[in-house]
Amino acid sequence: MDRPSPAASNRRNRGVSASDREDADNSSTFLDPEDAETFEGNSSLAAHTAFASEFLADAVRKTTLGDGRSINPKFDAALNSLRQIITMQNRNQQRSTAGVWSPAPGFTNPVPENESEENSAPSRKHFQRTNLRDLPLPPMALVREQLSEMRHGPVPVMLAILYTFIDYEHFIDRCRQLYFATDSPPEASFIIVNAGLTYIFFEASLTASDPAKKARYEECRAMSQNNLEIALAQLNMMMPATAENIEALLMGACFCIDESRASLAWILVSRTAHMCRTLGYHQIHTMKDDNPQTKADKSLLFWCTYMLDKALSLRLGRASVLQDYDISLPHVTPDAKAAYPGKEVMTLWIQHARVLGRIYERLYSPGALRQPEALRTEQVNVLATEQKRLMAETVALLREFENATGGEERMFALTLKSDEVSFLSSLALTYRALPPNGPRSRAFADECIDAARASIASHLEATALMQDEQSLKIVYIHWTILYAPFIPFIVIFCLVIETSDGNGAGGDLARLAAFVRSLENACEVSSSVRKLHQLCQVLYNVAELYVEAKAAEPVGAGSEFDVYLSQLGFMPVDEGALNMMAVQTAGMEGVDGDVSMLNRAVAQTNQLEDWFSGKNYMMGLLEEDLSGINPMAWPS
């Protein structure tokens, strides 16, 4: 009897343990049992830990990269990095299936009872339950100084996202109330103030030229961030539905996204979505008696929740909480706290978020993957047309501001350029659901390849516009590359692996290298960017070595590597496997044409599912401690 592949086993078992654990523990404390790695699309990567490591080592020894006994040091380093990555995911699966957690909440991941503090990951932070009143706050004089600069100057770049739903005067009032509080402050106010101060002092530390001031600002940022993490770690998730609580949860979610904690952001956004529905923010008739400003405030809170819900749904491979059929608010913003084209940009963000939700629902959800290939192709065309329309509107606005040299106009130009990158990235993910339709790849449609290359080119143009401004690059990378799934790098990586050609269409290896270099400037001040850079550097080095191996021994190395990488979801099923599947299914010696076509479609759908899950897994690694992986230290 043929043994089912680990990828197929993963597809059968997908999602079972997560729901069981959810039902088994209904604690209301933030992150009591809900682990960040409980479920993220379940990659097929971890199922091949031992096989992958030994098989790849054996394959390399048979090529000119080895001497028959040992492995070339460069490839040995690459192999060790891949082994570490897969081992981390394997460890996370063991934790999530253990089902027993220590009761003390942790901001990142709870620690299993069978894991000691000494050997737990260094990235975990553990807090004793603390009275918020006892936590120190940054000196009032420095806070007053920064708030005064905000009143008379431009909005800090680090607050650009939060400023869509926070109000400057209300923020000052909350600061005043917190600093002069006689009792324990409300959780929501404490979170809002410390989240805002974290971003304000972060930007101040980046722009300060005086070393003493820079150090003081960094100290204030660390103090505010520590307060925020403690408040989030012991947050009562059964807090009542109020506008202030929604604002606090949104700010917490944005902080989690900036910290590459998408799974934690999802928990906060899901609770925010339920609050919005409880208060009726999703229904236009509940606002009929509100004055214009109140209506605008409610709408902005709801649409910010909606955008985060849809993007994280696709980023994590989970169904969104808010459904379009349940929303009667028009998909436009009635007001925005910015000059033209602030309202237009926000409206485009909302409409793009709706498309992101539909990409998961119609192309990559379990239900969508059960649909016939023809129906999925029809949905691809519908979604691609909508994205091209929105991108055309974005580019038209960009043309109005592309020559801006400073102030708000330059910020809008950079924002619109970032949006162009996002549209091309989501377009590549949309086209990934098409069956291959050209000679360039057996896995990707030509439209997918073109969109991925265009997205990387647009990304390089965007980072060039930002020059060496670290705060701009950090916000851009956090909210364009990390926020929603940035697919183009993975598509081009897989294309290089499949074709063994790094020079196609101007140099796909060069594209990967340029993308990695574009992240370097922000690595030293953002741990999230640093992790992304580490992973992309590993993948680039592996792609470069793979091309070298194929060039050195194209027959032996190729067949060995193809099998290994197909197990990781990076290669299409070969023709021989498709024909064998057809024979087994038909149960006869001859292969009927319709049966062969059916099995080809099934195999491609399974490969698409594994690729999407593998993409989610690679992005999920950004929530891990990657200090043990240092691709820059590989032998040259």
Side-chain angles (χ1 to χ4, degrees), residues 42-265:
N42 266 348
S43 166
S44 61
L45 299 178
H48 308 279
T49 306
F51 168 79
S53 300
E54 297 307 320
F55 189 91
L56 182 57
D58 183 63
V60 177
R61 290 189 187 100
K62 295 178 181 178
T63 72
T64 54
L65 291 177
D67 60 6
R69 297 178 304 277
S70 60
I71 301 177
N72 178 291
K74 287 192 301 182
F75 214 97
D76 190 39
L79 176 60
N80 285 335
S81 293
L82 289 175
R83 185 184 291 117
Q84 285 176 284
I85 288 172
I86 297 173
T87 300
M88 280 190 291
Q89 173 68 357
N90 192 46
R91 184 178 65 240
N92 289 334
Q93 285 196 342
Q94 291 173 350
R95 287 177 185 152
S96 64
T97 54
V100 181
W101 300 96
S102 60
F107 176 65
T108 53
N109 299 326
V111 181
E113 289 185 347
N114 60 354
E115 182 176 332
S116 66
E117 294 285 338
E118 288 74 15
N119 59 22
S120 63
S123 63
R124 283 202 188 89
K125 299 181 182 179
H126 306 286
F127 305 104
Q128 298 295 325
R129 193 158 191 88
T130 305
N131 190 325
L132 300 182
R133 181 180 53 189
D134 298 332
L135 295 172
L137 294 169
M140 189 185 300
L142 286 178
V143 174
R144 186 185 300 115
E145 169 194 294
Q146 293 300 315
L147 293 178
S148 177
E149 290 183 10
M150 281 180 62
R151 181 190 294 274
H152 302 294
V155 177
V157 175
M158 301 299 293
L159 279 176
I161 300 297
L162 299 180
Y163 212 67
T164 57
F165 58 85
I166 66 171
D167 179 83
Y168 173 78
E169 295 298 335
H170 287 169
F171 182 72
I172 288 182
D173 286 341
R174 290 192 178 101
C175 288
R176 188 180 299 115
Q177 292 167 10
L178 182 60
Y179 272 84
F180 292 97
T182 57
D183 296 321
S184 184
E187 286 179 314
S189 294
F190 191 85
I191 290 171
I192 291 169
V193 169
N194 280 282
L197 293 180
T198 297
Y199 288 110
I200 290 171
F201 284 115
F202 187 16
E203 177 136 352
S205 69
L206 291 177
T207 57
S209 55
D210 179 23
K213 278 191 172 181
K214 188 181 187 72
R216 190 63 173 141
Y217 292 150
E218 177 57 32
E219 182 182 340
C220 291
R221 182 206 63 78
M223 185 183 299
S224 299
Q225 180 170 329
N226 185 64
N227 291 346
L228 175 60
E229 292 181 355
I230 289 175
L232 290 174
Q234 60 190 39
L235 185 65
N236 177 13
M237 295 304 285
M238 299 304 294
M239 61 201 307
T242 66
E244 184 179 45
N245 285 342
I246 290 174
E247 188 174 331
L249 291 176
L250 286 175
M251 293 188 79
C254 290
F255 169 74
C256 289
I257 289 170
D258 279 316
E259 291 292 301
S260 278
R261 306 301 298 174
S263 299
L264 309 190

Side-chain angles (χ1 to χ4, degrees), residues 134-438:
D134 298 332
L135 295 172
L137 294 169
M140 189 185 300
L142 286 178
V143 174
R144 186 185 300 115
E145 169 194 294
Q146 293 300 315
L147 293 178
S148 177
E149 290 183 10
M150 281 180 62
R151 181 190 294 274
H152 302 294
V155 177
V157 175
M158 301 299 293
L159 279 176
I161 300 297
L162 299 180
Y163 212 67
T164 57
F165 58 85
I166 66 171
D167 179 83
Y168 173 78
E169 295 298 335
H170 287 169
F171 182 72
I172 288 182
D173 286 341
R174 290 192 178 101
C175 288
R176 188 180 299 115
Q177 292 167 10
L178 182 60
Y179 272 84
F180 292 97
T182 57
D183 296 321
S184 184
E187 286 179 314
S189 294
F190 191 85
I191 290 171
I192 291 169
V193 169
N194 280 282
L197 293 180
T198 297
Y199 288 110
I200 290 171
F201 284 115
F202 187 16
E203 177 136 352
S205 69
L206 291 177
T207 57
S209 55
D210 179 23
K213 278 191 172 181
K214 188 181 187 72
R216 190 63 173 141
Y217 292 150
E218 177 57 32
E219 182 182 340
C220 291
R221 182 206 63 78
M223 185 183 299
S224 299
Q225 180 170 329
N226 185 64
N227 291 346
L228 175 60
E229 292 181 355
I230 289 175
L232 290 174
Q234 60 190 39
L235 185 65
N236 177 13
M237 295 304 285
M238 299 304 294
M239 61 201 307
T242 66
E244 184 179 45
N245 285 342
I246 290 174
E247 188 174 331
L249 291 176
L250 286 175
M251 293 188 79
C254 290
F255 169 74
C256 289
I257 289 170
D258 279 316
E259 291 292 301
S260 278
R261 306 301 298 174
S263 299
L264 309 190
W266 172 262
I267 297 172
L268 296 173
V269 171
S270 297
R271 180 61 186 144
T272 307
H274 288 300
M275 287 186 180
C276 285
R277 290 195 301 203
T278 298
L279 295 173
Y281 286 4
H282 62 309
Q283 298 287 350
I284 188 66
H285 69 83
T286 65
M287 305 180 190
K288 64 181 185 300
D289 297 325
D290 292 333
N291 61 53
Q293 187 58 52
T294 300
K295 182 178 180 179
D297 291 342
K298 290 180 178 179
S299 297
L300 282 173
L301 286 176
F302 174 77
W303 285 125
C304 287
T305 302
Y306 178 89
M307 288 186 285
L308 291 172
D309 176 50
K310 296 300 181 182
L312 290 172
S313 165
L314 187 60
R315 164 77 166 73
L316 298 172
R318 306 176 184 178
S320 59
V321 178
L322 297 169
Q323 300 300 323
D324 290 319
Y325 59 73
D326 195 38
I327 299 169
S328 61
L329 276 183
H331 284 71
V332 295
T333 52
D335 186 23
K337 296 179 175 68
Y340 173 83
K343 176 179 177 179
E344 288 73 15
V345 170
M346 274 287 290
T347 298
L348 286 169
W349 286 355
I350 293 168
Q351 294 176 348
H352 189 205
R354 179 177 60 179
V355 174
L356 294 181
R358 291 178 177 176
I359 289 174
Y360 177 72
E361 175 190 346
R362 300 181 181 182
L363 302 181
Y364 291 101
S365 68
L369 291 169
R370 290 196 300 268
Q371 297 292 329
E373 187 178 276
L375 182 58
R376 196 162 58 246
T377 300
E378 180 182 336
Q379 291 298 325
V380 166
N381 294 329
V382 170
L383 293 169
T385 300
E386 175 67 7
Q387 289 172 87
K388 288 178 180 178
R389 180 186 68 79
L390 295 174
M391 188 163 60
E393 294 182 24
T394 299
V395 171
L397 284 173
L398 176 60
R399 296 291 174 262
E400 297 182 34
F401 296 91
E402 61 184 352
N403 295 320
T405 57
E408 276 195 343
E409 289 190 348
R410 179 168 180 262
M411 282 299 300
F412 278 125
L414 294 174
T415 299
L416 290 163
K417 186 64 180 178
S418 302
D419 293 345
E420 180 185 55
V421 177
S422 295
F423 278 117
L424 287 168
S425 176
S426 62
L427 195 61
L429 181 57
T430 302
Y431 282 135
R432 175 63 185 93
L434 285 176
N437 56 7

